[in-house]
Amino acid sequence: MDERSGARYPLADPRWCGDDGAPLTVSPLPGITREDVDTGTRSLWRYRAALPVDIAAPVSLGEGCTPLVEKAWGEVPVRFKLEWFSPTGSFKDRGTSVMISLLAQRGVPEVIEDSSGNGGASVAAYCAAAGIRATILAPEATSPAKVLQSRAYGARVELVPGDRDATAAEALRRSERTYYASHNWHPFFLQGTKTLAYELWEDLGFAAPDNVVTVAGAGSTVLGCDIGFSELLASGQIRRRPRLLVAQPANCAPIHAAFHAQGPGPFAPTIAEGTAIREPIRLPEVVQAVRRSDGDMAAIPEDDIATAVRRLAAMGLYAEPTSATAAAAIDVFRARGAIRPGETTVVLLTGSGLKAATAMNALFTDQGFADQEGRP
């Protein structure tokens, strides 16, 4: 369905956008109960009963069932959800597994995807598993490790001059000839990311956390949590939605600006490359999801993101700068009173530091350690 116009389309229609070019979502579903969880399956497919269509042969690499690790961030007890334990090293595998499974079931032979790195690597991997040809378009400044990963899976990778938005525009042009398996556009990608909510519910003894802290570029973790927790609310499994506390880098924070009713801010490069999207496709829907949860948003300076990367590494968690942005926001939300004493707070760490070798090298040089430790 198109939430903006109210237009509806059959699930069997292989479209990825509405007739007017608007993004689509699956109509609200009734959700499942703990009895519907397939406990014999160790992947997100244990929640397949929550999907709107039956997938006879899922394309799975073991995605989901990622660790939830208890730590302290300063004085705040938190639980870090380590999504980099996904097969390709990022949370994108949740959405990709469901999306590519659907396309494989429908006999799609070839797809195109645009990505700043993690989404492209994920689509490349699952297309390899499904026997689907994949072309991945990525900005020319994408981390070499992510480009290499996509190519290793056999995808054709093309680097596009310009920024992330230029890459998306090129993919849209090519979508007239090749099926567009976009992690930002396809409604079934969000059906995969909603399993984050179901998994957290199960992780916590079939209860919802009070807060979920995440980072947003296009906002698929925000929308996935909104969909999943809404379904759990509808099925009577939880009493209320968790507050969604969402961070963006201050250098590129269009969703934050819209949430706080500010004008568009300046755009500058950010070490959180996975969030560098000036015009998120689902911006109004992400804002609505945060507000529906009584949540909040924060814009994080580059220095604070870098500090968070180092703080996480010092406790044994090697997170790429994009996902470390969420950790950096913990202090902001606690200071505002959005995170309160005695609450259960989950922080999503969406990708591994191994995915951003160039940025991580710059943060962990001798000078970087000198700055961290106060040495000359």
Side-chain angles (χ1 to χ4, degrees):
M1 65 175 289
D2 177 350
E3 295 183 47
R4 301 174 189 179
S5 70
R8 294 177 178 269
Y9 305 92
L11 275 174
D13 190 337
R15 66 173 57 244
W16 51 267
C17 71
D19 287 341
D20 61 355
L24 302 177
T25 57
V26 173
S27 298
L29 298 171
I32 61 175
T33 68
R34 68 176 70 186
E35 288 75 23
D36 297 313
V37 177
D38 180 4
T39 56
T41 299
R42 194 182 183 281
S43 75
L44 66 80
W45 291 93
R46 65 199 287 115
Y47 310 114
R48 65 193 301 169
L51 297 178
V53 299
D54 180 57
I55 303 293
V59 180
S60 177
L61 297 171
E63 57 292 320
C65 295
T66 57
L68 186 64
V69 179
E70 293 188 39
K71 293 283 188 179
W73 188 261
E75 297 179 357
V76 183
V78 298
R79 304 185 189 205
F80 287 111
K81 185 66 168 168
L82 307 186
E83 285 293 283
W84 65 63
F85 276 85
S86 301
T88 73
S90 89
F91 84 96
K92 295 290 201 315
D93 293 344
R94 291 182 182 272
T96 304
S97 178
V98 174
M99 176 178 69
I100 296 299
S101 292
L102 178 74
L103 299 184
Q105 182 163 289
R106 290 176 172 171
V108 173
E110 181 179 5
V111 303
I112 190 167
E113 151 80 322
D114 62 292
S115 168
S116 59
N118 284 335
S122 185
V123 169
Y126 284 84
C127 281
I132 295 174
R133 297 187 302 277
T135 297
I136 309 298
L137 304 183
E140 58 187 352
T142 297
S143 296
K146 295 177 182 178
V147 174
L148 173 61
Q149 187 179 14
S150 294
R151 286 179 172 150
Y153 294 130
R156 178 182 178 184
V157 180
E158 298 181 28
L159 299 181
V160 178
D163 60 14
R164 179 68 181 83
D165 294 292
T167 302
E170 177 62 18
L172 285 170
R173 284 192 289 270
R174 298 198 194 185
S175 68
E176 296 179 2
R177 305 186 302 273
T178 306
Y179 191 91
Y180 190 24
S182 169
H183 65 280
N184 291 331
W185 281 91
H186 204 287
F188 271 73
F189 188 89
L190 296 178
Q191 289 295 300
T193 58
K194 81 178 183 183
T195 63
L196 260 169
Y198 280 103
E199 194 167 303
L200 290 172
W201 166 65
E202 187 177 4
D203 285 341
L204 296 171
F206 297 102
D210 296 293
N211 310 301
V212 176
V213 183
T214 188
V215 65
S220 57
T221 59
V222 178
L223 294 172
C225 285
D226 177 59
I227 294 169
F229 284 119
S230 292
E231 291 179 6
L232 286 166
L233 190 65
S235 64
Q237 300 304 296
I238 60 175
R239 293 191 298 272
R240 69 169 184 84
R241 297 178 181 87
R243 287 185 294 275
L244 300 179
L245 305 176
V246 184
Q248 290 199 288
N251 281 7
C252 184
I255 304 174
H256 171 270
F259 180 82
H260 291 289
Q262 301 170 350
F267 175 81
T270 173
I271 58 173
E273 64 177 354
T275 63
I277 302 174
R278 279 192 264 194
E279 298 181 2
I281 300 303
R282 300 178 186 270
L283 186 151
E285 288 78 15
V286 177
V287 170
Q288 290 167 11
V290 178
R291 288 180 175 155
R292 186 160 40 240
S293 74
D294 193 28
D296 197 3
M297 293 201 66
I300 309 300
E302 294 293 290
D303 286 348
D304 291 351
I305 298 172
T307 297
V309 172
R310 297 186 181 112
R311 284 180 68 181
L312 287 167
M315 61 177 69
L317 301 175
Y318 195 59
E320 68 172 327
T322 295
S323 60
T325 306
I330 298 170
D331 297 320
V332 176
F333 291 128
R334 180 175 180 270
R336 291 180 185 174
I339 295 175
R340 302 154 192 162
E343 292 184 331
T344 299
T345 298
V346 171
V347 183
L348 305 181
L349 297 183
T350 51
S352 168
L354 296 173
K355 307 295 290 291
T358 301
M360 298 298 279
N361 183 64
L363 289 172
F364 290 98
T365 58
D366 289 342
Q367 184 58 48
F369 284 117
D371 292 343
Q372 183 182 12
E373 298 174 8
R375 293 185 281 110

